[in-house]
């Protein structure tokens, strides 16, 4: 398989580069590979957008939690635990 095909069809590598870029710098070669992949892959473009939104929300949550002592109520925790266990039992 040619190097170009490896770049175009490798979503796992693209998502890795998206995350690496969000937490630091990527090399020029990695940046070009990512751009080529994103040009042709709508799934990874969507992943990139979702990842950015999630990262922004988490950062905002940490910023706001420093100012306030935010805690989840017990009912929500119980419901969330039940949903997690239900999803785990499906597999």
């Amino acid at each position: 398989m040619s190097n170009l095909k490896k770049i175009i069809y490798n979503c796992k590598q693209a998502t890795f580069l998206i995350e690496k870029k969000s937490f630091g710098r990527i090399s020029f070669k990695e940046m070009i590979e990512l751009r080529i992949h994103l040009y042709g892959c709508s799934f990874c473009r969507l992943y990139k957008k979702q990842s950015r939104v999630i990262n922004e929300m988490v950062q905002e949550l940490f910023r706001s939690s420093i100012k306030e002592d935010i805690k989840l109520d017990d009912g929500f925790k119980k419901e969330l635990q039940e949903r997690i266990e239900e999803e785990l039992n499906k597999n």
Side-chain angles (χ1 to χ4, degrees), residues 11-69:
C11 292
K12 186 175 181 179
Q13 177 68 13
T15 56
F16 171 77
L17 291 175
I18 289 166
E19 294 304 320
K20 183 178 175 184
K21 185 177 178 186
S22 72
F23 293 106
R25 295 186 59 117
I26 61 175
S27 70
F28 181 73
K29 179 185 176 213
E30 291 171 328
M31 182 179 63
I32 297 301
E33 289 175 353
L34 181 58
R35 284 187 181 186
I36 289 170
H37 183 84
L38 291 175
Y39 181 76
C41 183
S42 62
F43 297 111
C44 288
R45 285 194 304 270
L46 178 61
Y47 176 87
K48 181 180 176 185
K49 289 178 187 177
Q50 290 174 339
S51 177
R52 186 183 72 242
V53 169
I54 291 169
N55 288 338
E56 289 171 0
M57 290 173 69
V58 168
Q59 287 177 358
E60 182 59 35
L61 179 65
F62 281 116
R63 278 189 232 119
S64 66
S65 68
I66 292 171
K67 298 173 189 171
E68 305 171 11
D69 190 23

Side-chain angles (χ1 to χ4, degrees), residues 7-8 23 40-41 48 53 64 73-74 86 88:
I7 294 167
I8 292 172
F23 293 106
C41 183
K48 181 180 176 185
V53 169
S64 66
D73 68 335
D74 290 333
E86 182 181 309
L88 289 174

Side-chain angles (χ1 to χ4, degrees), residues 70-89:
I70 299 174
K71 295 185 179 182
L72 299 175
D73 68 335
D74 290 333
F76 180 78
K77 288 179 189 178
K78 184 178 178 182
E79 179 186 341
L80 187 58
Q81 183 65 37
E82 289 171 356
R83 289 174 56 194
I84 290 170
E85 288 174 3
E86 182 181 309
E87 288 298 317
L88 289 174
N89 290 334

